[in-house]
Amino acid sequence: MLDDLPPDLGRLHALRTWHAMWLQRIDDKIAALEKRDAERERGRQVRPAGPEWFVELGIGDGRPPAEVHVGGCYAAGKRRRPVGRDEARRLLASGVRACSHCRPDTALDILDLPARPALSATAR
């Protein structure tokens, strides 16, 4: 049998105290990580769903609506506000541009959107 422990009682008690201290530190860390993981999971479960539709806002006075998006669209900018289904349809019908990536007009079953005027060569 391999016996690499100290032969005297005092050093054996010191080693036992040292290892007990480390076990307590390890147990405390495990408990803290388990608590953090449980809080994250609870946060995922109670997180409200994102908006179904949102409008990207322009720059300037009054921040006019610039583009309508389906909720979760990756192509939207940071200036946005959530809108309901009816408001998204109304905005699209009034001429606000539909995102070409997420296609809210298709998702809202809108067949004919008003044509937007093309930019003229002198408007640059």
Side-chain angles (χ1 to χ4, degrees):
M1 177 175 146
L2 180 64
D3 191 13
D4 57 349
L5 294 175
D8 60 304
L9 197 55
R11 286 191 287 176
L12 286 172
H13 280 296
L15 281 174
R16 187 179 189 300
T17 302
W18 175 260
H19 287 285
M21 179 193 69
W22 272 101
L23 280 175
Q24 185 61 49
R25 286 185 67 191
I26 292 168
D27 289 344
D28 291 345
K29 183 68 172 191
I30 289 171
L33 292 176
E34 287 173 344
K35 180 180 177 186
R36 184 191 68 188
D37 290 347
E39 288 172 352
R40 279 186 182 164
E41 183 58 32
R42 184 177 176 281
R44 269 194 286 281
Q45 291 173 356
V46 299
R47 181 178 296 131
E52 206 174 338
W53 311 98
F54 60 91
V55 62
E56 185 174 350
L57 302 172
I59 300 173
D61 191 28
R63 297 173 52 163
E67 200 169 49
V68 178
H69 296 271
V70 173
C73 177
Y74 65 90
K78 294 183 188 242
R79 295 179 315 273
R80 55 178 133 175
R81 69 175 169 84
V83 295
R85 181 179 186 87
D86 292 335
E87 187 176 355
R89 291 177 66 87
R90 183 186 59 75
L91 287 167
L92 289 170
S94 70
V96 176
R97 184 174 54 238
C99 174
S100 62
H101 297 275
C102 64
R103 302 300 309 257
D105 50 341
T106 304
L108 288 166
D109 296 324
I110 298 175
L111 300 176
D112 295 322
L113 288 176
R116 295 183 60 110
L119 292 175
S120 64
T122 59
R124 292 183 205 181

